[in-house]
Amino acid sequence: MTPAAFEHPPVAAILALGVTQIIGYGTLYYSFSILAPDMARGLDWSQEWIFGALSAALLIGGLVAPAMGKWIDRFGAGRVMTSGSAIAAAALAACALAPGKIAFVIALIAIETASNLVQYAAAFALLVQTQPRLAQRSITYLTLIGGFASTIFWPITTTLHAHLSWQNVYFIFAALNLLVCLPIHAWLAHSAGDTGTREKAGATRRVEPGLPAAARTPAFVLMVTGFALESFVNAALLVHMVPVMSALGLGAMAVMVGTLFGPSQVLSRFINMVLGGGLPQLTLAIISAMLLPTALVILLVTAPSVAGALVFAVIFGLGSGLSSIVQGVLPLALFGSDGYGQRQGKVISARLVVSSTAPFALAFLIGNVGISWSLTITAMLGTVAVAAFLAIRRLMRTSAPAEVALARGEP
C-alpha cells in the first residue's frame, strides 16, 4: 500500500477553508450582481458601465495572478491568504467609501486582486503544501463545500440589501473577511508552517510529475488552453444564461431553469467524491470539458422545449462543477507538487484574462449573428478545449516510450 493510504485528509483544515471560501466567493464575487444596480444609481452610471468596470478589474486581477503564484511558493499559501483577507477587507471598505467613479474602479481592482489571494487557487495550493499526496481528495471535498457560496450568499446579500445600502452591506462583508477569514487563514498558515518543517525531513511526501520531462512544456500549454476556453464558455453563459433562454422562447421558465445550475454544480462534486476516486484526473478533465459543449448542443437542438432546457442546465452545471475540481487536481497530477503555486498563478491568469472578455464577446455575437450562431460558436470553442485535453493524453502515450528509449541509449 502507498504511504497515502495510511494518511487521512486534514478535515479541520478543509472545513475551515470551506468557511473562508464561502465567505470569499460570496462577498467578493457573487454579491456584486445583486448590488450592481444600486451601485450604478449611486455613481450615476449605467449597469453596463458597472459590469464593464468589473470586467476590467477581473482582467487586471488576471494579469497579476502569476506574481501571486510565486508568492505562494515562496512564502506559503497560508501567509498569502492571511494577507489576502486583510487586503480584501480594506478593498471592500474602500469601495464602500469611494467618493467617485475613479476611486470606485480602483477599489474594485483591489477587490479582484485580493480574490486571487484568498479563493480556490490559493486554497488548493495550501492543501498541496499541507499534505501533497492527499491534496486531490482534499480539493474535491473543499469544492463540495465551496459550491454552496452562491446558494448561501445570494439570499444573504438580498436580505441585507433590503434594509441597508450597498455601502453598508460591503462594510459588513469587510468585517467578515477581517474577523472570520483572517484568523482562520492565520491559523492555517501556522499549521502549514509546522507541516512544512516536517516536509523537509521527509521528501517522500512530494507528488512526482505524471508526465515525462519532454512532454511537460507542450502539455502545460495545452492544459492552460483547455482551462481558458472552458472558463470562456462558463463565464459567457453564466452572465447571459437567463437572457439566452428567454431569447430561445422559454419566457418566464428561463429563471426557473437557471436555478438548477448551482445544485448541479454541487451534485457533480458529490458524485466525483463518492465514485470518482479511481478515475485518472486527465479523464475527469476530458469529461468535464465535454459536458459544456454537449449541454449547449442540447439547448440549441431542443429549444424552446422546457425539458431540453432543464437537461441543458443540469449538464452544464455538472460540467462547470467538475471543472472547478479539475483546475486544482490536474496540474498536480501532471506536473507534481513542486512549484504548484506558480503554475496555478499562470493558469488563473490565463483563465481570468480570457473569461473577463466572455460576457462582452457573447453579447457582441448575439447582437451581430443571432442567438443560434452565437451558441454554436461558443460550443465550438468548448470542443477545442476537449481537443486540448485529448492532445495531452496522446502526448503522454507518445512521450513515455521515447523517454524510456533515451534512458536506455537507444536511437
Side-chain angles (χ1 to χ4, degrees):
M1 297 182 73
T2 63
F6 299 99
E7 298 182 89
H8 299 285
V11 176
I14 293 169
L15 292 174
L17 274 176
V19 171
T20 70
Q21 293 308 288
I22 288 172
I23 293 173
Y25 276 97
T27 61
L28 302 174
Y29 184 73
Y30 287 117
S31 65
F32 187 87
S33 61
I34 295 172
L35 302 176
D38 196 15
M39 293 174 175
R41 285 190 293 271
L43 292 167
D44 195 25
W45 255 359
S46 67
Q47 288 192 51
E48 288 77 10
W49 275 104
I50 286 289
F51 281 102
L54 177 64
S55 293
L58 287 168
L59 176 63
I60 294 172
L63 293 176
V64 302
M68 173 212 72
K70 292 179 181 178
W71 298 337
I72 285 174
D73 283 339
R74 182 175 179 182
F75 302 110
R79 291 180 181 178
V80 169
M81 295 184 81
T82 304
S83 301
S85 294
I87 296 170
L92 286 165
C95 201
L97 293 169
K101 298 173 183 176
I102 295 176
F104 174 84
V105 172
I106 292 172
L108 197 59
I109 291 169
I111 287 174
E112 295 310 322
T113 301
S115 297
N116 291 335
L117 304 177
V118 297
Q119 291 177 349
Y120 274 154
F124 294 164
L126 189 145
L127 292 172
V128 169
Q129 291 174 353
T130 303
Q131 285 185 294
R133 291 187 178 277
L134 296 177
Q136 293 183 3
R137 206 187 323 166
S138 299
I139 286 170
T140 301
Y141 297 154
L142 179 62
T143 56
L144 179 64
I145 299 170
F148 290 98
S150 61
T151 307
I152 292 171
F153 263 86
W154 275 336
I156 285 176
T157 306
T158 302
T159 302
L160 287 173
H161 193 40
H163 301 92
L164 302 170
S165 66
W166 73 265
Q167 290 96 334
N168 287 330
V169 174
Y170 261 18
F171 282 133
I172 292 172
F173 289 169
L176 285 175
N177 280 274
L178 189 65
L179 302 178
V180 179
C181 295
L182 190 148
I184 290 175
H185 290 153
W187 168 68
L188 289 168
H190 176 73
S191 301
D194 292 343
T195 303
T197 303
R198 295 194 299 270
E199 292 284 338
K200 293 176 183 178
T204 56
R205 293 167 60 89
R206 293 168 60 248
V207 174
E208 297 297 332
L211 279 171
R216 288 172 202 165
T217 298
F220 185 77
V221 173
L222 288 167
M223 183 185 72
V224 170
T225 300
F227 286 158
L229 290 173
E230 277 188 292
S231 294
F232 181 93
V233 175
N234 251 318
L237 264 295
L238 281 178
V239 171
H240 295 289
M241 185 176 288
V242 173
V244 160
M245 289 190 290
S246 297
L248 289 171
L250 288 159
M253 295 299 293
V255 176
M256 185 200 77
V257 171
T259 60
L260 290 177
F261 174 79
S264 298
Q265 276 191 311
V266 176
L267 177 63
S268 70
R269 294 164 185 171
F270 180 77
I271 292 172
N272 180 66
M273 182 181 72
V274 175
L275 303 175
L279 202 63
Q281 301 307 323
L282 185 56
T283 301
L284 188 65
I286 294 168
I287 292 171
S288 69
M290 288 178 64
L291 288 171
L292 299 181
T294 299
L296 289 173
V297 170
I298 289 172
L299 181 64
L300 277 168
V301 171
T302 62
S305 164
V306 174
L310 291 171
V311 174
F312 153 76
V314 170
I315 293 178
F316 197 84
L318 290 173
S320 178
L322 285 177
S323 178
S324 298
I325 300 172
V326 169
Q327 287 163 17
V329 298
L330 186 61
L332 180 63
L334 295 181
F335 306 104
S337 54
D338 287 350
Y340 178 86
Q342 190 169 348
R343 278 189 297 273
Q344 279 294 84
K346 292 177 181 178
V347 170
I348 291 295
S349 179
R351 284 181 49 235
L352 286 178
V353 168
V354 171
S355 64
S356 67
T357 66
F360 171 78
L362 183 59
F364 178 82
L365 285 172
I366 291 171
N368 287 273
V369 300
I371 191 74
S372 296
W373 273 109
S374 299
L375 293 181
T376 301
I377 293 169
T378 305
M380 290 171 65
L381 290 174
T383 305
V384 176
V386 178
F389 293 126
L390 288 171
I392 296 175
R393 172 176 283 179
R394 183 174 181 181
L395 202 59
M396 291 177 73
R397 290 172 177 170
T398 56
S399 298
E403 190 162 276
V404 170
L406 263 172
R408 293 173 176 171
E410 298 172 6

